[in-house]
Amino acid sequence: MATNAEIAGRFEEFADLLEADDVEYKPRAYRRAAENVRAHPSPIADYVEAGDRDAIEDIDGVGDAIATKIVEYVETGSIDELEELQTELPIDIADITRIEGVGPKTAGKLYHELGIETLDDLEAAAEANEIQAVSGFGPKTEQNIRDNIEFAREVGTRQLLGEARPLADDVLAFLEGIEEVERCEVAGSIRRWRETIGDVDVLVGTNDNEAVIEQFVEWGSVDSEIESGPAKASVRVGEIRVDLRVVVPDEFGAALQYFTGNKDHNVSLRNYAIDRGLKVNEYGVFDVSEVDAGPDGSAESGSATGGSQRIGDRLAGETEEGMYEALGLSWMPPELRTDRGEIAAAESGTLPDLLTREDIRGDFHSHTEWSDGNNTIEEMVGAADGRGYDYFGLADHAEGPGIVGGMGLSDTEILEQVEQIREVDAASDIDVFAGIEANVDADGEIGLSEAAIDALDVIVASTHSALDQDTERATNRLVRAVENPAVDVLGHPSGRLLNERSGLDFDATALAEAAAAHDTALEVNSNPRRLDLWGSTVQAAIDAGAKIAINTDAHQPSTLEFMRWGVHTARRGWAEPGDVINTWEPEEVREFLH
């Protein structure tokens, strides 16, 4: 059954191809529909199955024509009008527009001028110096394309965490309902909450492999079976591959540990064990101090499966906690298992007390219908109140570079909106902050009047343009923004869009030190297409003493749920509650913003 993300993807492709064909107005309508379909809290395919056309058309931005296309796609797996457009413009539009600076219009022009349809075509043209000969292009653009081809190819094979994790939750719920399953959990990058993942890895502990695998491949959500065997199976659900591995319950903890950490973490942990006369693998922790060592000194000679890996006295394996305990280490949260000092911290008992979703008391960055949001101020504040927040900030777009379609507010409009926010605040049970998302221009300026600055409670300053600057200029730009006394939060610092554009490459340590010195919080933007900052840059910020703000950048009430992704991203950066300003008491927050 088609997921909301799949449906949204089709409309995003529609928008890109129409824009590549120089069609006006329609692309924006399709993009708005795609955003709202993607964020819709319920499976839209269920509405189609139930014949509930009204529920489909109730989605903001979805009118009769788009609703018809949704029904067509869910029922047939295709949209005739989109296929006709693909025939007219046979461009791998998603792949090509992952190149920084290459948008749909550029892709369309390169197709018409040079016949470029794929990344391979684009690379060949760049290497042959053909692109710089096209009107409006030049050597710099051509070199940028060469530099970004590898990035575009790599991200094209990965799925967004925000699309894959809900599927993983569904897989776990299904497996937990199978009688023969004793234990199950996700593993791999999705358990570490990495921002993009290659596939969904799931581990099951059972004494009846055959029964579990048979029911797994017959799960109603499966679109196709890729392979299956006595101990594992792979299926495709929509565009995502799901890999199941089954083990005996007594070795579930060992396998979970083994298949969760990244390669560097597992190598470091294995070496840590070897230094202590132990061996750690997917079957358990073994004391091999009395076992003859293999050629690598680790007593691991022989086959990589079966009994040859179970030599020595087994000390642990049933639980993951027991695995680490047998090594003399504290259990490590999965988000930390990336070999950035977690083993030493576990040995010394100094692992961070990571924040949780329950620690979050508010949000400083959300949008309303005043700019590009879908709801009123009252509706957004009501949704925040319904989530149990103590405070909530509205931060619609200000005018500036990168804000298209007249969606940014002028200084006069900002002052008018502040008056309305004050009225809502007075009638609300939670504190409502009047904010703005100002635009950081190419030189680090934010372009707000003193009157607007004085009227606002919180200013989130974000980059939306000139995202191809070199590292030095990008860093200086962001540092200048955080040094501005008017700026409270630096929003989505790199400006990246996962699987779409890489954004600014900046010196995270230099930015963090400047933010700490000027009491400016650095944002973890929780939109699953951004997750910006990310784990290592959050850790750099915390090490420098800078504060973090985890914001949803919500454009409608349902996307306040994006906080889930932001919290786990901050956990990947070793964030504790005190590091994150929206875990603080309202009085502390007001003092920080003041």
Side-chain angles (χ1 to χ4, degrees):
M1 184 177 293
T3 65
N4 291 359
E6 284 180 69
I7 298 168
R10 299 294 74 76
F11 290 119
E12 286 162 350
E13 184 179 5
F14 242 128
D16 285 347
L17 288 173
L18 288 168
E19 190 173 338
D21 206 27
D22 222 15
V23 174
E24 295 184 2
Y25 309 118
K26 273 190 175 183
R28 183 175 176 182
Y30 278 120
R31 288 200 173 94
R32 183 184 181 200
E35 180 180 356
N36 294 326
V37 165
R38 188 182 296 276
H40 195 69
S42 302
I44 295 171
D46 288 351
Y47 300 154
V48 176
E49 188 174 336
D52 192 349
R53 179 71 176 237
D54 289 342
I56 300 172
E57 294 189 19
D58 282 344
I59 300 168
D60 197 38
V62 176
D64 178 68
I66 290 179
T68 297
K69 291 179 175 65
I70 290 174
V71 172
E72 182 183 0
Y73 182 71
V74 172
E75 291 182 344
T76 70
S78 64
I79 302 173
D80 286 344
E81 190 176 331
L82 178 58
E83 291 190 346
E84 291 172 7
L85 195 55
Q86 291 166 336
T87 301
E88 295 171 11
L89 285 173
I91 308 170
D92 288 343
I93 195 77
D95 285 348
I96 290 176
T97 54
R98 289 189 181 105
I99 302 290
E100 185 66 47
V102 177
K105 286 189 176 181
T106 300
K109 187 168 187 178
L110 290 173
Y111 169 72
H112 290 300
E113 295 285 340
L114 299 174
I116 291 172
E117 299 179 5
T118 67
L119 277 178
D120 288 341
D121 295 342
L122 188 65
E123 182 177 35
E127 295 296 337
N129 297 323
E130 295 175 351
I131 292 174
Q132 61 180 281
V134 177
S135 175
F137 293 80
K140 183 179 178 182
T141 300
E142 192 169 68
Q143 185 59 49
N144 176 70
I145 288 171
R146 290 193 198 100
D147 293 342
N148 283 278
I149 286 285
E150 184 178 350
F151 166 82
R153 284 204 175 101
E154 178 183 348
V155 300
T157 64
R158 301 188 66 81
Q159 301 289 334
L160 299 183
L161 173 68
E163 295 173 0
R165 181 71 207 206
L167 170 59
D169 294 340
D170 290 344
V171 174
L172 288 178
F174 170 73
L175 291 171
E176 286 168 355
I178 296 176
E179 181 180 356
E180 293 82 2
V181 171
E182 295 192 18
R183 301 171 66 184
C184 62
E185 182 57 274
V186 292
S189 57
I190 202 165
R191 189 171 181 231
R192 299 195 307 274
W193 297 83
R194 185 176 173 181
E195 57 265 39
T196 63
I197 62 111
D199 47 47
V200 173
D201 295 310
V202 189
L203 186 70
V204 161
T206 181
N207 287 310
D208 193 341
N209 294 12
E210 183 178 351
V212 172
I213 290 175
E214 180 180 349
Q215 293 177 73
F216 171 68
V217 298
E218 292 180 355
W219 180 33
S221 296
V222 170
D223 290 309
S224 62
E225 178 183 333
I226 299 172
E227 59 181 345
S228 63
K232 57 185 179 180
S234 298
V235 299
R236 193 165 298 283
V237 180
E239 299 175 354
I240 301 176
R241 175 178 173 134
V242 182
D243 293 331
L244 171 71
R245 182 180 295 266
V246 293
V247 299
V248 295
D250 190 48
E251 293 176 347
F252 182 85
L256 185 60
Q257 188 284 316
Y258 185 85
F259 291 111
T260 292
N262 73 0
K263 179 180 178 181
D264 292 337
H265 172 87
N266 287 346
V267 168
S268 292
L269 192 70
R270 186 176 68 224
N271 290 337
Y272 181 92
I274 290 171
D275 290 343
R276 288 154 181 79
L278 303 173
K279 179 177 70 172
V280 58
N281 58 31
E282 62 188 285
Y283 306 107
V285 175
F286 299 86
D287 182 347
V288 293
S289 58
E290 302 300 324
V291 178
D292 291 337
D296 63 353
S298 65
E300 291 197 9
S301 58
S303 168
T305 60
S308 62
Q309 289 290 353
R310 297 182 176 94
I311 56 177
D313 294 330
R314 186 171 186 263
L315 306 178
E318 185 175 353
T319 68
E320 196 177 55
E321 291 81 1
M323 291 284 291
Y324 286 106
E325 183 179 352
L327 296 171
L329 300 172
S330 303
W331 178 83
M332 303 171 212
E335 295 96 328
L336 303 188
R337 300 183 204 175
T338 58
D339 199 35
R340 296 205 309 265
E342 69 276 7
I343 294 175
E347 182 181 24
S348 62
T350 57
L351 284 169
D353 183 15
L354 298 180
L355 86 157
T356 68
R357 175 65 187 83
E358 289 70 31
D359 294 318
I360 299 297
R361 306 182 66 169
D363 189 338
F364 303 109
H365 182 177
S366 66
H367 296 267
T368 75
E369 62 185 7
W370 278 70
S371 64
D372 60 338
N374 297 320
N375 297 81
T376 65
I377 294 170
E378 292 86 349
E379 287 169 341
M380 293 300 292
V381 171
D385 188 8
R387 298 181 72 84
Y389 282 163
D390 294 320
Y391 41 83
F392 187 66
L394 288 309
D396 277 309
H397 287 287
E399 292 177 331
I403 303 303
V404 297
M407 294 185 294
L409 305 185
S410 66
D411 282 345
T412 299
E413 290 170 325
I414 290 171
L415 295 175
E416 292 174 358
Q417 189 191 45
V418 168
E419 291 184 10
Q420 285 201 14
I421 292 173
R422 299 296 180 219
E423 293 174 3
V424 173
D425 179 35
S428 176
D429 292 331
I430 65 174
D431 290 345
V432 183
F433 297 134
I436 201 73
E437 184 178 10
N439 299 283
V440 178
D441 70 16
D443 297 317
E445 299 291 342
I446 63 169
L448 293 176
S449 70
E450 288 300 320
I453 291 170
D454 289 344
L456 293 161
D457 299 316
V458 56
I459 295 175
V460 179
S462 307
T463 57
H464 295 98
S465 61
L467 300 179
D468 57 351
Q469 293 176 320
D470 62 37
T471 302
E472 181 179 4
R473 189 172 181 194
T475 303
N476 290 339
R477 171 190 188 180
L478 297 178
V479 166
R480 187 170 186 180
V482 301
E483 289 176 344
N484 187 325
V487 174
D488 301 295
V489 179
L490 182 68
H492 50 74
S494 81
R496 75 180 186 179
L497 290 175
L498 291 166
N499 287 358
E500 296 179 46
R501 68 184 185 214
S502 55
L504 294 172
D505 181 17
F506 59 89
D507 183 331
T509 299
L511 177 61
E513 290 172 349
H518 292 272
D519 286 333
T520 302
L522 300 178
E523 180 182 76
V524 172
N525 188 294
S526 302
N527 186 314
R529 304 180 78 177
R530 290 190 182 275
L531 298 183
D532 176 15
L533 298 170
W534 52 94
S536 60
T537 50
V538 171
Q539 192 171 11
I542 290 170
D543 288 346
K547 297 304 179 186
I548 300 297
I550 306 176
N551 296 321
T552 59
D553 200 353
H555 285 61
Q556 59 191 53
S558 64
T559 51
L560 292 174
E561 183 57 35
F562 286 171
M563 187 61 71
R564 179 190 193 193
W565 317 122
V567 166
H568 282 285
T569 297
R571 284 169 62 93
R572 284 174 59 82
W574 298 50
E576 298 183 298
D579 300 316
V580 179
I581 65 172
N582 39 328
T583 69
W584 297 358
E585 295 282 348
E587 301 77 32
E588 296 177 285
V589 169
R590 287 194 177 276
E591 183 177 351
F592 179 86
L593 297 177
H594 177 74

